[in-house]
Amino acid sequence: MYLFKRTRPLLAFVILFLHMAFAFHASAADERFIMITHAPDSDPWWNVMKNAVKEASEKMNVEVSYQNPASGDITDMARIVEQSVASNPDGIIVTIADYDVLKPTLLKAAKKGIPLITINSGTEQQSRELGALMHIGQPEYDAGFAAGKRALLAGVDRFLCVNHYITNPVSVDRCRGYADAINADLQKSMIDASEDPVRIEAKVQSYLRRHPQINGILALGPTSASPTIRVVEKMRLGGKVHFSTFDVSEDIAQNIDAGVIAFALDQQPYLQGFMAVTSMTLYVRYGLSPRNNMHTGPAFITKDNLKTIKQLSGTVR
């Protein structure tokens, strides 16, 4: 009993010291992660992802370097991935924009023991084959199919898919899903719109004039949706053509409110960025990892929930 009383202050000091040591370790930003996406600098949709990465890195106290090819070129992205793997970060978060192009380099990351989480683009099977911990994103074919089913109920049987990123196979999956849902010919229904708003507007207008029987339009994001909105206005097709799009922006939200756009499919990019950084941190620090993938979409944005969405547009939605 006497010995215990004498050693109790020392024990308390040791416990306090260990507590402070663990607290210091937890607060030290020792982990360094790299996120690589296929996003071009011109696409504002990715700003929400960047907001999520910034907030998650601050909350988890880790360093996250966000990198992307300025023009959206997949070859440039592959080079960035290769440089990132060579730098031996604690973890890599990446979009599978083109599986065949990125696979060789990403497999090198697995061989080096660098943890990998895939987000946004690609399939769950591709993610598994790359040895990733998990895939966080929206099944794109399923999302397109869900959009097509809604359009079918509205009477759509012929549509135009305005694909502004046709070099990304996943974008084609969106169009294919929609086409299958309404039993349309994908090859005749999809155009390579480019990423230039002036060219997109011209191509969409030309296509609709040559195909007056079109009663449905699917845009794949703000880049193609905004120029298409201008075409719909110029051709006075508002309310006559069922118009839907992927993703949300201020322009898209305003046109949902005005009844020009029926709905937008939201894959909730904030979740993709935030959960990827958080999950990677938990794995690197504690070996904790969910045993399944995470579907962040599709979530439908309509007039019914637009008010909440508009309040958060550009930040977390």
Side-chain angles (χ1 to χ4, degrees):
M1 181 67 71
Y2 178 74
L3 180 62
F4 177 76
K5 289 181 179 179
R6 290 286 303 270
T7 59
R8 188 164 52 186
L10 177 60
L11 180 62
F13 174 80
V14 171
I15 293 173
L16 178 61
F17 175 82
L18 290 174
H19 175 76
M20 292 175 64
F22 281 120
F24 174 79
H25 174 74
S27 66
D30 295 329
E31 296 89 357
R32 180 177 68 88
F33 306 143
I34 300 177
M35 175 181 282
I36 310 121
T37 76
H38 59 275
D41 289 342
S42 59
D43 192 341
W45 181 85
W46 293 87
N47 291 336
V48 172
M49 178 84 73
K50 294 174 185 176
N51 290 341
V53 170
K54 182 177 183 295
E55 183 169 342
S57 63
E58 290 173 351
K59 288 184 179 297
M60 301 305 291
N61 210 11
V62 295
E63 177 188 342
V64 183
S65 172
Y66 178 94
Q67 301 185 33
N68 65 293
S71 65
D73 183 79
I74 298 298
T75 303
D76 287 344
M77 181 185 178
R79 177 182 50 78
I80 294 171
V81 171
E82 189 162 359
Q83 292 172 347
S84 299
V85 172
S87 71
N88 294 313
D90 294 301
I92 291 177
I93 301 165
V94 65
T95 63
I96 315 175
D98 190 314
Y99 178 74
D100 293 331
V101 173
L102 300 176
K103 178 181 177 180
T105 305
L106 290 175
L107 286 177
K108 290 180 183 178
K111 289 181 180 178
K112 295 179 74 172
I114 301 173
L116 180 70
I117 289 178
T118 59
I119 63 169
N120 185 263
S121 297
T123 66
E124 294 175 2
Q125 180 179 344
Q126 291 171 342
S127 181
R128 285 193 299 271
E129 291 174 356
L130 292 172
L133 298 171
M134 63 187 301
H135 182 72
I136 304 174
Q138 172 178 260
E140 301 296 359
Y141 175 86
D142 295 346
F145 193 85
K149 280 297 185 183
R150 286 204 174 197
L152 184 65
L153 291 174
V156 176
D157 56 4
R158 294 179 176 86
F159 86 114
L160 166 63
C161 184
V162 188
N163 193 335
H164 65 273
Y165 198 17
I166 206 164
T167 56
N168 185 345
V170 176
S171 69
V172 179
D173 287 342
R174 292 177 170 183
C175 301
R176 182 178 291 109
Y178 190 110
D180 288 351
I182 69 169
N183 196 29
D185 187 331
L186 175 64
Q187 297 305 318
K188 295 179 180 179
S189 306
M190 179 175 65
I191 61 171
D192 179 1
S194 83
E195 295 182 48
D196 178 70
V198 176
R199 292 183 64 190
I200 293 171
E201 186 174 339
K203 287 188 174 186
V204 171
Q205 187 165 331
S206 174
Y207 186 95
L208 292 178
R209 282 178 174 170
R210 288 184 286 108
H211 301 85
Q213 73 278 19
I214 293 296
N215 57 5
I217 298 175
L218 176 69
L220 299 190
T223 299
S224 52
S226 292
T228 302
I229 289 169
R230 292 193 289 272
V231 174
V232 169
E233 290 174 345
K234 287 180 179 179
M235 298 182 70
R236 298 181 180 179
L237 294 175
K240 299 177 182 178
V241 172
H242 185 275
F243 184 4
S244 57
T245 181
F246 278 78
D247 306 327
V248 66
S249 66
E250 184 175 347
D251 192 21
I252 290 171
Q254 289 175 351
N255 280 275
I256 291 175
D257 194 28
V260 176
I261 296 177
F263 61 80
L265 293 98
D266 181 20
Q267 62 177 298
Q268 303 182 108
Y270 191 91
L271 266 182
Q272 294 176 11
F274 192 92
M275 296 309 297
V277 172
T278 303
S279 297
M280 183 65 81
T281 305
L282 293 176
Y283 178 77
V284 171
R285 285 184 184 169
Y286 312 121
L288 298 174
S289 179
R291 306 321 300 168
N292 57 348
N293 300 303
M294 180 180 296
H295 291 177
T296 62
F300 285 88
I301 299 174
T302 66
K303 275 191 175 183
D304 294 336
N305 59 1
L306 185 60
K307 183 177 179 180
T308 300
I309 303 299
K310 287 178 72 174
Q311 292 172 347
L312 302 172
S313 179
T315 54
V316 299
R317 296 302 296 263

